[in-house]
Amino acid sequence: MSQPVFNLRWGVLGAGHISGVFVKDIILDPKTRGVTDVTHEFVAVGSRDATKAQEWITRITGKEDHPAKAYGSYEEVVKDSPLGVPHSGHYDLAILALNNGKHVLLEKPFTVNAKEAKALIDLSREKSLFIMEAMWTRFLPVAQYISDLVRGEELGEVRILHADLSGDCKIDELSLDHRLIDPKLAGGALLDLGPYPLVWAIIAMYENPAYDKKQPPSISSSMLKVPRSGVDAHSTFTLTFDGLYSQAVLTCGLTVSTPNPALVIRLKKGNIIVDAPIYRPDRVTVQWLAEPGSNVVAREEVKNFTNGSGDNIPGGGWHWQADEVARCV
């Protein structure tokens, strides 16, 4: 007997770019990516202007008669549907949603500090509601491929990981109230870009079956700040996993672009080399070494992932996380 298909209804707070690419993906037929156990329904968007919200629905869905509702306030949306929250005001909007009994997929960064994160987790548990950071990279097929390689025996134990996400954002030309450099808007490289290098350390090391999660990694870090505002222009943070005898060296910045490759995972018997951008890699090169620990490559294999997913799979890759949320809910 076949299992019933679960349909998850989505509402969005804020008619912005990230919300738009997410909605474009979730309205695609899940069967086009081989998913048959869950479906998604876009039902509402909230903005400060209901007319602009309606225009956004038409532009994103390509349909003037799309049934999703356009609201002129966030409060109206949380009384209607589960939520996807844009980059600004995460904590307050998540509190609003949870207090109205809604599950939350919260755009990264989850919050701006640990105190806020703990408060959201505690509230979601109190309300028996689901909440998750929208780290969409974690659910891409390319991420699963790399995870399987690290967990397998062919390449040996993971030793060192280098990951970077940076861009020349012309910060000297930005106004002081721009979201990237304004501390009041949680500006800086770490909160805007840092979650992406971090997720690869989580995939390769923290989630590694050989690692005891009861023993958190030790962390050292350094920041180079924007003189005009005090937020970080560049950040480097190193995670040391003593239980794995491994380290992750992670960097992010706002003044220069990411090098290529942008992610290198070095294991005892081989290397995993990943092309930029690390938030949605298209190309992975796997190297097998002639001898453990050597620098002589005996064999090399390249695999391509269109939009981090694969050939003939429509969408930008944002739908994979939505599928996981539906299953969890």
Coordinates of all heavy atoms in Angstrom, one line a residue, residues 213-279:
K213 N 30.0 13.8 19.0 CA 29.4 15.1 19.1 C 29.4 15.7 20.5 O 29.2 16.9 20.7 CB 28.0 15.2 18.4 CG 28.0 14.9 16.9 CD 26.6 15.1 16.4 CE 26.5 14.9 14.9 NZ 26.7 13.5 14.5
K214 N 29.6 14.8 21.5 CA 29.6 15.3 22.8 C 30.8 16.1 23.1 O 30.9 16.9 24.1 CB 29.5 14.1 23.8 CG 28.2 13.3 23.7 CD 28.3 12.1 24.7 CE 27.0 11.3 24.6 NZ 27.0 10.1 25.5
Q215 N 31.8 16.0 22.3 CA 33.0 16.8 22.4 C 33.1 17.8 21.4 O 33.5 17.6 20.2 CB 34.3 15.9 22.3 CG 35.6 16.6 22.4 CD 36.8 15.7 22.2 OE1 36.6 14.5 21.7 NE2 38.0 16.2 22.4
P216 N 32.7 19.1 21.7 CA 32.6 20.1 20.6 C 34.0 20.5 20.2 O 35.0 20.3 20.9 CB 32.0 21.3 21.3 CG 32.3 21.1 22.8 CD 32.3 19.6 23.0
P217 N 34.1 20.9 18.9 CA 35.5 21.3 18.4 C 35.9 22.6 19.1 O 35.1 23.4 19.5 CB 35.2 21.6 16.9 CG 33.8 21.9 16.8 CD 33.1 21.1 17.9
S218 N 37.2 22.7 19.2 CA 37.8 24.0 19.7 C 37.9 25.0 18.5 O 38.1 24.6 17.4 CB 39.2 23.8 20.3 OG 40.1 23.3 19.4
I219 N 37.7 26.3 18.8 CA 37.6 27.3 17.8 C 38.5 28.4 18.0 O 38.6 28.9 19.1 CB 36.2 27.8 17.6 CG1 35.2 26.7 17.4 CG2 36.1 28.8 16.5 CD1 33.7 27.1 17.4
S220 N 39.3 28.8 17.0 CA 40.1 30.0 17.1 C 39.7 30.9 15.9 O 39.4 30.4 14.8 CB 41.6 29.7 17.1 OG 42.0 29.0 15.9
S221 N 39.8 32.2 16.1 CA 39.3 33.1 15.0 C 40.1 34.4 15.0 O 40.7 34.8 16.0 CB 37.8 33.3 15.1 OG 37.5 34.0 16.3
S222 N 40.0 35.1 13.9 CA 40.6 36.4 13.7 C 39.7 37.2 12.7 O 39.2 36.6 11.8 CB 42.0 36.3 13.2 OG 42.6 37.6 13.0
M223 N 39.6 38.5 13.0 CA 38.8 39.4 12.1 C 39.6 40.6 11.6 O 40.4 41.1 12.4 CB 37.6 39.9 12.8 CG 36.5 38.9 13.0 SD 35.0 39.6 13.8 CE 33.8 38.3 13.7
L224 N 39.4 41.0 10.4 CA 39.9 42.2 9.9 C 38.7 43.1 9.7 O 37.8 42.8 8.9 CB 40.7 42.0 8.6 CG 41.3 43.3 7.9 CD1 42.3 43.9 8.8 CD2 41.8 42.9 6.5
K225 N 38.6 44.2 10.4 CA 37.4 45.0 10.4 C 37.3 46.2 9.4 O 38.4 46.7 9.0 CB 37.1 45.5 11.8 CG 36.9 44.4 12.8 CD 36.5 45.0 14.2 CE 36.3 43.9 15.2 NZ 35.8 44.4 16.5
V226 N 36.1 46.6 9.0 CA 35.9 47.7 8.2 C 36.1 49.0 9.1 O 35.4 49.2 10.0 CB 34.5 47.7 7.6 CG1 34.2 49.0 6.8 CG2 34.2 46.5 6.8
P227 N 37.1 49.8 8.8 CA 37.4 50.9 9.7 C 36.2 51.9 9.9 O 36.0 52.4 11.0 CB 38.5 51.7 8.9 CG 39.2 50.6 8.1 CD 38.0 49.7 7.7
R228 N 35.3 52.0 8.9 CA 34.2 53.0 9.0 C 33.1 52.6 9.9 O 32.4 53.4 10.4 CB 33.7 53.3 7.6 CG 34.6 54.0 6.6 CD 33.9 54.5 5.4 NE 33.3 53.4 4.6 CZ 32.2 53.4 3.9 NH1 31.5 54.5 3.9 NH2 31.8 52.4 3.2
S229 N 32.9 51.2 10.0 CA 31.8 50.8 10.8 C 32.1 49.7 11.8 O 31.3 49.5 12.8 CB 30.7 50.2 9.8 OG 31.2 49.0 9.2
G230 N 33.2 49.1 11.7 CA 33.6 48.1 12.8 C 33.1 46.7 12.5 O 33.5 45.8 13.3
V231 N 32.4 46.4 11.5 CA 32.0 45.0 11.2 C 33.2 44.4 10.5 O 34.1 45.0 10.0 CB 30.7 44.9 10.3 CG1 29.6 45.6 10.9 CG2 31.0 45.5 8.9
D232 N 33.2 43.0 10.4 CA 34.3 42.3 9.8 C 34.3 42.4 8.3 O 33.3 42.1 7.6 CB 34.4 40.9 10.3 CG 33.2 40.1 9.9 OD1 32.0 40.5 10.1 OD2 33.3 39.0 9.3
A233 N 35.4 42.8 7.7 CA 35.6 42.7 6.3 C 36.1 41.4 5.8 O 35.7 40.9 4.8 CB 36.6 43.8 5.8
H234 N 36.9 40.7 6.7 CA 37.4 39.4 6.5 C 37.4 38.7 7.8 O 37.7 39.2 8.9 CB 38.8 39.3 6.0 CG 39.0 39.8 4.5 ND1 38.8 39.0 3.5 CD2 39.2 41.0 4.0 CE1 39.0 39.7 2.4 NE2 39.2 40.9 2.7
S235 N 37.0 37.4 7.8 CA 37.1 36.6 9.0 C 37.7 35.2 8.7 O 37.5 34.6 7.6 CB 35.7 36.3 9.6 OG 35.3 37.5 10.3
T236 N 38.6 34.8 9.6 CA 39.2 33.4 9.5 C 38.8 32.7 10.8 O 39.1 33.2 11.9 CB 40.7 33.5 9.3 OG1 41.0 34.2 8.1 CG2 41.3 32.1 9.2
F237 N 38.3 31.5 10.7 CA 38.0 30.7 11.9 C 38.4 29.2 11.6 O 38.2 28.7 10.6 CB 36.6 30.8 12.4 CG 35.5 30.7 11.3 CD1 34.6 29.6 11.4 CD2 35.4 31.6 10.3 CE1 33.6 29.5 10.4 CE2 34.4 31.5 9.4 CZ 33.5 30.5 9.4
T238 N 39.1 28.7 12.6 CA 39.7 27.3 12.5 C 39.0 26.5 13.6 O 38.9 26.8 14.8 CB 41.2 27.3 12.8 OG1 41.8 28.1 11.8 CG2 41.7 25.9 12.7
L239 N 38.4 25.3 13.1 CA 37.8 24.4 14.0 C 38.7 23.2 14.1 O 39.1 22.6 13.1 CB 36.4 23.9 13.4 CG 35.2 24.9 13.6 CD1 35.5 26.2 13.0 CD2 33.9 24.2 13.1
T240 N 39.0 22.8 15.3 CA 39.9 21.6 15.6 C 39.0 20.5 16.2 O 38.5 20.7 17.3 CB 41.1 22.0 16.5 OG1 41.9 23.0 15.9 CG2 41.9 20.8 16.7
F241 N 39.0 19.4 15.5 CA 38.2 18.2 16.0 C 39.2 17.2 16.5 O 39.7 16.4 15.7 CB 37.4 17.7 14.8 CG 36.3 18.6 14.3 CD1 36.6 19.6 13.4 CD2 35.0 18.4 14.7 CE1 35.7 20.4 12.9 CE2 34.0 19.3 14.2 CZ 34.3 20.3 13.3
D242 N 39.5 17.3 17.8 CA 40.5 16.4 18.4 C 40.1 14.9 18.2 O 41.0 14.1 18.0 CB 40.7 16.7 19.8 CG 41.4 18.1 20.0 OD1 42.3 18.4 19.2 OD2 41.1 18.8 21.0
G243 N 38.8 14.7 18.3 CA 38.4 13.3 18.2 C 38.6 12.7 16.8 O 38.7 11.4 16.7
L244 N 38.7 13.5 15.8 CA 39.0 13.1 14.4 C 40.4 13.3 14.0 O 40.9 12.8 13.0 CB 38.1 13.8 13.4 CG 36.6 13.4 13.4 CD1 35.9 14.3 12.3 CD2 36.4 12.0 13.0
Y245 N 41.2 14.0 14.9 CA 42.5 14.4 14.5 C 42.5 15.2 13.2 O 43.2 14.9 12.2 CB 43.5 13.2 14.4 CG 44.9 13.6 14.5 CD1 45.4 14.2 15.7 CD2 45.8 13.3 13.5 CE1 46.8 14.6 15.8 CE2 47.2 13.7 13.6 CZ 47.6 14.3 14.7 OH 49.0 14.6 14.8
S246 N 41.6 16.2 13.1 CA 41.4 17.0 11.9 C 41.1 18.4 12.2 O 40.7 18.8 13.3 CB 40.3 16.3 11.1 OG 39.0 16.4 11.8
Q247 N 41.3 19.3 11.2 CA 41.0 20.7 11.3 C 40.3 21.2 10.1 O 40.5 20.7 9.0 CB 42.3 21.5 11.4 CG 42.9 21.5 12.8 CD 44.1 22.4 12.9 OE1 44.9 22.6 12.0 NE2 44.2 23.1 14.0
A248 N 39.4 22.2 10.3 CA 38.8 23.0 9.2 C 39.2 24.4 9.3 O 39.0 25.1 10.3 CB 37.3 22.9 9.3
V249 N 39.8 24.9 8.2 CA 40.2 26.3 8.1 C 39.3 27.0 7.2 O 39.3 26.8 6.0 CB 41.7 26.4 7.6 CG1 42.1 27.9 7.6 CG2 42.6 25.6 8.5
L250 N 38.5 28.0 7.8 CA 37.4 28.6 7.0 C 37.6 30.1 6.9 O 38.0 30.7 7.9 CB 36.1 28.2 7.8 CG 35.9 26.8 8.2 CD1 34.6 26.6 9.0 CD2 35.8 25.9 7.0
T251 N 37.3 30.6 5.8 CA 37.5 32.1 5.6 C 36.3 32.6 4.8 O 35.6 31.9 4.0 CB 38.8 32.4 4.8 OG1 38.8 31.6 3.6 CG2 40.0 32.0 5.6
C252 N 36.1 33.9 5.0 CA 35.0 34.7 4.3 C 35.4 36.1 4.2 O 36.1 36.6 5.1 CB 33.6 34.5 4.9 SG 33.5 34.9 6.6
G253 N 35.0 36.8 3.2 CA 35.4 38.2 3.1 C 34.6 39.0 2.1 O 33.9 38.5 1.2
L254 N 34.7 40.4 2.2 CA 33.9 41.3 1.4 C 34.8 42.1 0.4 O 34.3 43.0 -0.2 CB 33.2 42.2 2.3 CG 32.2 41.6 3.3 CD1 31.6 42.7 4.2 CD2 31.1 40.8 2.6
T255 N 36.1 41.9 0.3 CA 37.0 42.7 -0.5 C 37.6 42.1 -1.6 O 38.1 42.8 -2.5 CB 38.0 43.4 0.4 OG1 38.9 42.4 0.9 CG2 37.4 44.2 1.6
V256 N 37.7 40.8 -1.6 CA 38.3 40.0 -2.8 C 37.4 38.8 -3.1 O 36.7 38.3 -2.2 CB 39.7 39.6 -2.5 CG1 40.7 40.8 -2.4 CG2 39.8 38.7 -1.2
S257 N 37.5 38.3 -4.3 CA 36.7 37.1 -4.7 C 37.3 35.8 -4.2 O 38.5 35.7 -4.0 CB 36.5 37.2 -6.2 OG 35.7 38.3 -6.6
T258 N 36.5 34.8 -4.2 CA 36.9 33.5 -3.8 C 37.8 32.9 -4.8 O 37.6 33.0 -6.0 CB 35.7 32.6 -3.7 OG1 34.8 33.1 -2.6 CG2 36.0 31.1 -3.4
P259 N 38.9 32.2 -4.4 CA 39.8 31.5 -5.4 C 39.1 30.2 -5.9 O 38.1 29.8 -5.3 CB 41.0 31.2 -4.6 CG 40.5 31.0 -3.2 CD 39.4 32.0 -3.0
N260 N 39.7 29.6 -6.9 CA 39.1 28.4 -7.4 C 40.3 27.4 -7.4 O 41.3 27.6 -8.0 CB 38.5 28.6 -8.8 CG 37.4 27.6 -9.1 OD1 36.8 27.0 -8.1 ND2 37.2 27.3 -10.3
P261 N 40.2 26.2 -6.8 CA 39.0 25.7 -6.1 C 38.7 26.4 -4.8 O 39.6 27.0 -4.1 CB 39.3 24.2 -5.8 CG 40.8 24.2 -5.7 CD 41.3 25.2 -6.7
A262 N 37.4 26.4 -4.4 CA 37.0 27.1 -3.2 C 36.9 26.2 -2.0 O 36.8 26.7 -0.8 CB 35.7 27.8 -3.4
L263 N 36.9 24.9 -2.2 CA 36.7 24.0 -1.1 C 37.7 22.8 -1.4 O 37.6 22.2 -2.5 CB 35.3 23.5 -1.0 CG 35.0 22.2 -0.1 CD1 35.4 22.5 1.3 CD2 33.6 21.8 -0.2
V264 N 38.6 22.5 -0.5 CA 39.5 21.3 -0.6 C 39.4 20.5 0.6 O 39.6 21.1 1.7 CB 40.9 21.8 -0.9 CG1 41.8 20.6 -1.0 CG2 41.0 22.6 -2.2
I265 N 39.0 19.3 0.5 CA 39.0 18.4 1.7 C 40.1 17.3 1.4 O 40.1 16.6 0.5 CB 37.6 17.6 1.8 CG1 36.5 18.7 1.8 CG2 37.6 16.7 3.0 CD1 35.1 18.0 1.8
R266 N 41.1 17.4 2.3 CA 42.3 16.5 2.2 C 42.1 15.3 3.2 O 42.0 15.5 4.4 CB 43.5 17.3 2.5 CG 43.7 18.4 1.5 CD 44.6 19.5 2.0 NE 45.9 19.0 2.4 CZ 46.8 19.8 3.0 NH1 46.5 21.0 3.4 NH2 48.0 19.3 3.3
L267 N 42.1 14.1 2.6 CA 42.0 12.9 3.4 C 43.3 12.1 3.3 O 44.2 12.4 2.5 CB 40.8 12.1 2.9 CG 39.5 12.8 3.0 CD1 39.1 13.4 1.6 CD2 38.4 11.8 3.5
K268 N 43.4 11.1 4.1 CA 44.7 10.3 4.2 C 45.0 9.7 2.8 O 46.2 9.6 2.5 CB 44.6 9.3 5.3 CG 45.9 8.6 5.6 CD 46.9 9.6 6.2 CE 48.2 8.9 6.7 NZ 49.2 9.9 7.2
K269 N 44.0 9.2 2.1 CA 44.3 8.5 0.9 C 43.8 9.3 -0.4 O 43.9 8.7 -1.5 CB 43.6 7.2 0.9 CG 44.0 6.2 2.0 CD 43.2 4.9 2.0 CE 43.6 4.0 3.1 NZ 42.8 2.8 3.1
G270 N 43.4 10.5 -0.2 CA 42.9 11.2 -1.4 C 42.5 12.6 -1.1 O 42.5 13.1 0.1
N271 N 42.0 13.3 -2.1 CA 41.5 14.7 -2.0 C 40.2 14.9 -2.7 O 39.9 14.2 -3.7 CB 42.5 15.7 -2.6 CG 43.9 15.6 -2.0 OD1 44.0 15.7 -0.8 ND2 44.9 15.5 -2.9
I272 N 39.3 15.8 -2.1 CA 38.1 16.2 -2.7 C 38.2 17.6 -3.0 O 38.4 18.5 -2.1 CB 36.9 15.9 -1.8 CG1 36.8 14.4 -1.5 CG2 35.6 16.3 -2.5 CD1 35.8 14.1 -0.4
I273 N 38.2 18.0 -4.3 CA 38.4 19.4 -4.8 C 37.2 19.9 -5.4 O 36.6 19.3 -6.4 CB 39.6 19.4 -5.8 CG1 40.9 18.8 -5.1 CG2 39.8 20.8 -6.2 CD1 42.0 18.6 -6.1
V274 N 36.6 21.0 -4.8 CA 35.3 21.5 -5.2 C 35.4 22.9 -5.8 O 36.0 23.8 -5.1 CB 34.4 21.5 -4.0 CG1 33.0 21.9 -4.4 CG2 34.3 20.1 -3.4
D275 N 34.9 23.1 -7.0 CA 34.9 24.4 -7.6 C 33.9 25.4 -6.9 O 32.9 25.0 -6.4 CB 34.6 24.3 -9.1 CG 35.7 23.7 -9.9 OD1 36.7 23.3 -9.3 OD2 35.5 23.6 -11.2
A276 N 34.3 26.7 -7.1 CA 33.4 27.7 -6.6 C 32.1 27.8 -7.5 O 32.2 27.4 -8.6 CB 34.1 29.1 -6.6
P277 N 31.0 28.2 -6.9 CA 30.8 28.7 -5.5 C 30.4 27.6 -4.6 O 29.7 26.6 -5.0 CB 29.6 29.6 -5.7 CG 28.8 29.0 -6.8 CD 29.8 28.4 -7.7
I278 N 30.9 27.7 -3.3 CA 30.7 26.5 -2.4 C 29.2 26.5 -1.9 O 28.8 25.5 -1.4 CB 31.6 26.6 -1.2 CG1 31.4 27.9 -0.4 CG2 33.1 26.5 -1.7 CD1 32.2 27.9 0.9
Y279 N 28.4 27.5 -2.2 CA 27.0 27.4 -1.7 C 26.2 26.5 -2.7 O 25.2 26.0 -2.3 CB 26.4 28.8 -1.6 CG 26.4 29.7 -2.8 CD1 25.6 29.5 -3.9 CD2 27.4 30.7 -2.8 CE1 25.7 30.4 -5.0 CE2 27.5 31.6 -3.9 CZ 26.6 31.4 -5.0 OH 26.7 32.2 -6.1

